[in-house]
Amino acid sequence: MKPIVNSLHFGSVPVGGDAPPVLLPDIDMFFNRDLELAEHVVRTLVDAGVNVLKGAVIHRADIALDDGTLEEYYDPKVGMVSENYRALMERKVMTFDEHESLFRLCQGLGPELVLSVYDTEGAQFAKDVGACALKIPSSNITHEPLIRDVAGIGLPVIIDTGKSNMEEISRAVQWFRDADGRELLIEHSPEAPPAPLANHNLRMMLALQHAFDVPVGLSCHHAGNEMMYAAVALGASIIEKGVCADDAPIDQDVHHAIRVGDVGDMWRKCLNIHHALGEPGRYLRRDRDKPKARMGLVAKRSVVAGEKVGPETVDFAFPSAGISTEHWSTVEGWDFKFDLTAGQVINWHDLDTTA
């Protein structure tokens, strides 16, 4: 078996390790086959500085049975909305030619392309069209043949954990590794609204990273941006978020998607948080200038030679121009060698170091 890696690349974009987090703005099928709308969203994302785009390959409606199954999604005005699952799929399906037209546009504008796939044919198409990574959606974490096939394609793979438990996640990872998959990322994927915030369990990302030693990230389903900020602070390598048009009507997953016009500001804040994390320690040169924000010893009143250094004779003031307060335990009780006036800085030569 090939060794597992804990850092990789989406094309030219580094992921994991010490690299900044990568945004995966997911246009998915929010545009409902309206390629002009999709192009508008893509161009707006590129103008916002996005360097990776996330999409999906849905080329056949029969991945959903025509048996009356209902799909539910949240509308904040009326609550949960039900729609025939097959009908929903049929209004999102595109031909391979339509997919390729959109994906070529994306690539022509510069960003790398990550694609969710639902079958082996779609996965092979994604590779052929130039995707830099593939994603196993959360609904397919139990799809052994698809995970094995995608692992064999040789691209980095994201496994979305969705509502699965650790046993199911471990099994999916093992299928991937048994098929000689090497470059793996795992996404924590909390429930969508109206699930309570307590169900987000963002620390699950840390557990996944510890368990599998791969880059981890968040597939954000919160109707707001704060979960993405928290995920970056916890060290997420990727942040996926659904993106829809600014005037998009309520549809599947739209309530918790971000409006495309808000992406740039949101991601600047994420990167600010990442840069603010800095290093786990601080190095200060020993020969640095004495910091102005630290205090030094000064004469509290006029003192005469022979008096003792102590609370009655010494005060403290900014900056540390002579002896620093950090040396108090050393000098307390020493004798003054010279007379000093009130407020005068106390230097080492002012004290009898032989006391």
Side-chain angles (χ1 to χ4, degrees):
M1 185 185 300
K2 297 176 182 177
I4 306 303
V5 297
N6 54 24
S7 63
L8 45 92
H9 284 76
F10 287 162
S12 61
V13 179
V15 184
D18 295 327
V22 175
L23 175 65
L24 300 182
D26 185 16
I27 64 172
D28 199 347
M29 291 295 181
F30 289 113
F31 51 91
N32 287 322
R33 302 182 65 177
D34 184 341
L35 292 179
E36 289 188 5
L37 176 59
E39 179 176 345
H40 165 72
V41 171
V42 168
R43 290 187 181 277
T44 305
L45 288 170
V46 172
D47 289 344
V50 165
N51 59 0
V52 181
L53 289 170
K54 165 70 178 51
V57 180
I58 301 180
H59 63 98
R60 36 187 286 246
D62 61 3
I63 60 172
L65 295 176
D66 191 7
D67 64 353
T69 297
L70 297 178
E71 169 72 351
E72 291 189 322
Y73 50 88
Y74 186 65
D75 181 336
K77 294 182 179 178
V78 299
M80 299 305 293
V81 175
S82 297
E83 182 177 353
N84 181 282
Y85 197 19
R86 177 61 173 265
L88 184 152
M89 194 66 64
E90 287 175 348
R91 64 183 172 85
K92 294 181 180 293
V93 164
M94 298 195 306
T95 66
F96 280 141
D97 285 344
E98 289 172 322
H99 278 96
E100 184 168 2
S101 173
L102 174 59
F103 297 154
R104 295 299 183 203
L105 166 70
C106 296
Q107 293 166 324
L109 294 172
E112 305 289 352
L113 193 60
V114 176
L115 296 176
S116 287
V117 295
Y118 293 81
D119 57 20
T120 299
E121 188 180 10
Q124 188 59 54
F125 166 79
K127 179 183 180 182
D128 293 343
V129 84
C132 67
L134 305 179
K135 177 178 172 179
I136 301 292
S138 60
S139 55
N140 281 330
I141 196 167
T142 59
H143 196 329
E144 179 182 358
L146 179 60
I147 292 173
R148 288 182 178 275
D149 287 346
V150 167
I153 286 177
L155 293 174
V157 173
I158 301 168
I159 292 180
D160 190 326
T161 58
K163 298 180 177 68
S164 55
N165 59 31
M166 190 62 82
E167 179 183 358
E168 291 170 324
I169 298 167
S170 298
R171 186 176 58 184
V173 171
Q174 194 61 52
W175 288 333
F176 175 83
R177 291 177 172 173
D178 285 347
D180 282 338
R182 183 168 176 262
E183 296 186 310
L184 177 65
L185 304 93
I186 300 178
E187 279 186 339
H188 173 51
S189 184
E191 299 175 51
L197 288 176
N199 289 13
H200 271 73
N201 298 317
L202 294 182
R203 291 192 182 96
M204 179 71 172
M205 291 187 301
L206 305 179
L208 292 170
Q209 189 170 46
H210 178 75
F212 302 109
D213 194 25
V214 296
V216 298
L218 175 69
S219 180
C220 180
H221 296 123
H222 179 56
N225 299 336
E226 57 264 46
M227 298 304 139
M228 292 183 283
Y229 303 148
V232 170
L234 286 170
S237 294
I238 55 175
I239 302 290
E240 181 177 347
K241 181 73 169 177
V243 178
C244 62
D246 290 333
D247 58 353
I250 286 297
D251 193 352
Q252 183 189 35
D253 297 338
V254 163
H255 174 62
H256 56 266
I258 187 172
R259 306 291 165 162
V260 66
D262 297 330
V263 170
D265 179 66
M266 176 275 293
W267 193 241
R268 281 189 291 274
K269 291 176 180 176
C270 284
L271 291 179
N272 286 345
I273 292 168
H274 168 75
H275 293 313
L277 295 177
E279 300 295 333
R282 179 182 291 118
Y283 169 74
L284 296 175
R285 290 174 46 175
R286 289 188 177 274
D287 61 347
R288 68 188 186 277
D289 291 338
K290 292 183 179 180
K292 295 179 181 178
R294 295 182 182 178
M295 288 185 167
L297 276 58
V298 297
K300 192 172 190 176
R301 54 171 172 75
S302 295
V303 297
V304 297
E307 286 194 85
K308 300 288 186 184
V309 172
E312 300 80 12
T313 56
V314 175
D315 203 352
F316 314 102
F318 298 110
S320 179
I323 299 174
S324 170
T325 54
E326 65 190 295
H327 300 297
W328 177 254
S329 293
T330 300
V331 301
E332 186 179 16
W334 286 11
D335 293 341
F336 284 95
K337 289 175 64 177
F338 307 108
D339 296 347
L340 298 179
T341 59
Q344 186 173 342
V345 171
I346 302 172
N347 289 289
W348 289 104
H349 62 257
D350 295 319
L351 305 180
D352 183 357
T353 60
T354 63

